[in-house]
């Protein structure tokens, strides 16, 4: 019995030592995890501060202002609840802005992606001189929206513009590019397609270059032509890139502002008054920050809904390797 008790006592001390080591190890892991989290948050701190100042605070402030009315100086005057939203939907301003914005997105997004895809496919071959075309097609990306809009404003000029000069050489009457309600949105769409061409082209061209060459060689050995190869191999493998470009382009179309402000200022006859420009006019021209904030929140909800729909339905067509 004595030896048994002794052996039991040794077992108990051994278990105690093991338990003590486990506690020490657990404590060390916790300290190491705290240090790693502290280091991670230290690196994230600049981004979190920028997000807090320029994104989260304006969002919270917009929600606050959308529930209040403001005086002519822009100061908060009274709590009005959802009256700003009710006024927005009942005035028809919302439907008109959404209608113009949707039309603008339909004019710019499909054409812009298709044009960039065609150019990326044509310059995908490794022939001599293709670098020059790749540089030329990527060039719009380095220009700011403001600079591009000023250049295109001169091109669209009714008497001094290059476009009407070319039409006059063809004995075609000049086109009121920016002064006619029938042409203004179309003209802004042309400029926007050109402006987005650089980004779309670079992304799609990079996606094409990521497709393995042996797949093209196998298709060529099987007798597939260029169009069949592009449709059967390039398009399925490029679908994630096309989906990304589509989502980004639609969000960009709904947020277009600078080119419209410089080229048409929402006119003529509100034909180019997209939703973002309407928010700008309401908040910073008429100083009605309440209704302007309500419009901004509605726009956020519309973009969020469209993005969720794309991820819910369109992403099913995407082929991931």
């Amino acid at each position: 019995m004595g030896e048994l008790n002794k052996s039991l006592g040794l077992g108990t001390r051994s278990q105690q030592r093991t338990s003590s080591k486990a506690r020490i190890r657990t404590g060390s892991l916790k300290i190491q995890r705290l240090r790693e989290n502290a280091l991670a948050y230290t690196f994230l701190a600049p981004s979190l501060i920028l997000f807090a100042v320029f994104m989260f605070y304006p969002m919270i402030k917009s929600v606050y202002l959308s529930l209040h009315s403001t005086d002519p100086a822009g100061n908060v005057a009274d709590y009005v609840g959802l009256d700003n939203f009710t006024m927005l939907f009942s005035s028809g301003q919302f439907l008109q802005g959404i209608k113009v914005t949707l039309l603008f997105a339909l004019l710019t997004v499909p054409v812009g992606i298709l044009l960039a895809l065609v150019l990326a496919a044509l310059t995908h071959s490794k022939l001599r001189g293709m670098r020059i075309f790749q540089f030329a097609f990527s060039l719009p990306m380095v220009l700011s929206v403001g600079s591009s809009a000023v250049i295109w404003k001169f091109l669209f000029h009714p008497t001094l513009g290059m476009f009407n000069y070319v039409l006059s050489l063809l004995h075609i009457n000049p086109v009121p590019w920016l002064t006619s309600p029938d042409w203004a949105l179309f003209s802004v769409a042309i400029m926007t397609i050109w402006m987005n061409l650089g980004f779309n082209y670079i992304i799609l061209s990079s996606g094409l270059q990521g497709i393995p060459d042996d797949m093209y060689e196998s298709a060529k050995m099987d007798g597939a032509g260029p169009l069949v190869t592009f449709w059967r191999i390039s398009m399925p493998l490029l679908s994630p890139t096309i989906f990304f470009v589509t989502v980004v382009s639609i969000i960009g179309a709904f947020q277009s502002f600078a080119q419209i402000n410089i080229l048409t200022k929402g006119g003529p006859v509100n034909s180019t008054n997209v939703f973002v420009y309407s928010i700008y006019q309401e908040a910073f021209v008429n100083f009605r920050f309440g209704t302007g904030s309500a419009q901004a929140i509605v726009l956020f909800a519309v973009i969020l809904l469209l993005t969720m729909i794309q991820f819910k339905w369109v992403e099913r067509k995407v082929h991931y390797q």
Side-chain angles (χ1 to χ4, degrees):
M1 287 297 291
E3 293 179 356
L4 179 61
N5 292 335
K6 190 176 180 180
S7 62
L8 289 175
L10 288 174
T12 302
R13 284 195 293 273
S14 176
Q15 289 176 355
Q16 289 175 351
R17 283 197 296 271
T18 304
S19 176
S20 177
K21 288 181 179 177
R23 285 198 297 271
I24 294 173
R25 185 177 181 183
T26 303
S28 300
L29 288 174
K30 288 182 178 178
I31 293 173
Q32 184 179 358
R33 191 174 302 166
L34 287 174
R35 287 177 178 173
E36 290 176 353
N37 290 337
L39 183 62
Y41 283 113
T42 302
F43 285 117
L44 287 174
S47 299
L48 292 176
I49 292 172
L50 290 176
F51 275 119
V53 173
F54 295 105
M55 182 174 288
F56 300 135
Y57 173 73
M59 288 180 65
I60 296 172
K61 187 72 174 180
S62 296
V63 174
Y64 173 77
L65 289 174
S66 68
L67 303 175
H68 293 77
S69 63
T70 54
D71 59 21
N75 300 315
V76 174
D78 195 9
Y79 175 77
V80 296
L82 299 177
D83 288 353
N84 288 328
F85 294 94
T86 305
M87 187 188 307
L88 175 64
F89 287 107
S90 61
S91 66
Q93 186 178 5
F94 168 74
L95 293 177
Q96 176 64 22
I98 286 294
K99 179 182 175 182
V100 175
T101 307
L102 285 174
L103 184 58
F104 180 72
L106 287 174
L107 288 173
T108 56
V109 175
V111 178
I113 294 175
L114 183 61
L115 181 61
L117 181 61
V118 171
L119 294 176
L122 292 175
T123 57
H124 180 57
S125 59
K126 298 177 181 178
L127 298 177
R128 179 176 295 180
M130 283 299 168
R131 292 287 182 184
I132 298 175
F133 291 102
Q134 292 175 354
F135 171 75
F137 298 146
S138 307
L139 196 58
M141 191 176 178
V142 303
L143 295 176
S144 66
V145 181
S147 303
S148 303
V150 171
I151 295 172
W152 279 83
K153 193 170 186 177
F154 281 107
L155 295 175
F156 284 131
H157 195 277
T159 57
L160 304 176
M162 182 64 70
F163 293 148
N164 279 345
Y165 173 72
V166 173
L167 292 178
S168 67
L169 295 178
L170 300 174
H171 303 289
I172 299 176
N173 293 328
V175 175
W177 298 101
L178 300 176
T179 55
S180 169
D182 298 329
W183 281 95
L185 189 64
F186 180 70
S187 304
V188 177
I190 293 175
M191 181 262 165
T192 305
I193 290 170
W194 177 84
M195 187 183 66
N196 295 335
L197 180 62
F199 175 79
N200 293 340
Y201 172 78
I202 289 175
I203 297 297
L204 293 173
S205 183
S206 301
L208 283 174
Q209 292 177 5
I211 299 175
D213 292 335
D214 54 354
M215 301 190 72
Y216 292 115
E217 294 173 0
S218 299
K220 190 175 181 180
M221 292 176 66
D222 293 338
L227 291 178
V228 174
T229 303
F230 181 78
W231 186 253
R232 297 287 186 182
I233 296 178
S234 299
M235 285 299 290
L237 296 179
L238 199 61
S239 56
T241 309
I242 296 175
F243 176 69
F244 168 75
V245 172
T246 304
V247 173
V248 172
S249 298
I250 291 177
I251 293 175
F254 273 78
Q255 294 178 336
S256 297
F257 169 75
Q259 66 269 39
I260 294 171
N261 184 38
I262 294 174
L263 292 176
T264 61
K265 296 189 181 302
V269 201
N270 291 328
S271 59
T272 59
N273 192 15
V274 294
F275 212 69
V276 173
Y277 192 78
S278 177
I279 294 172
Y280 164 75
Q281 282 188 316
E282 195 69 11
F284 300 104
V285 177
N286 301 325
F287 293 102
R288 290 196 286 262
F289 291 100
T291 52
S293 299
Q295 292 185 50
I297 291 174
V298 171
L299 177 62
F300 170 77
V302 170
I303 293 176
L304 179 64
L305 179 62
L306 288 175
T307 306
M308 291 176 64
I309 290 174
Q310 291 176 82
F311 274 92
K312 180 69 176 179
W313 303 104
V314 182
E315 196 182 20
R316 294 181 179 179
K317 306 294 182 183
V318 175
H319 174 76
Y320 291 105
Q321 285 182 296

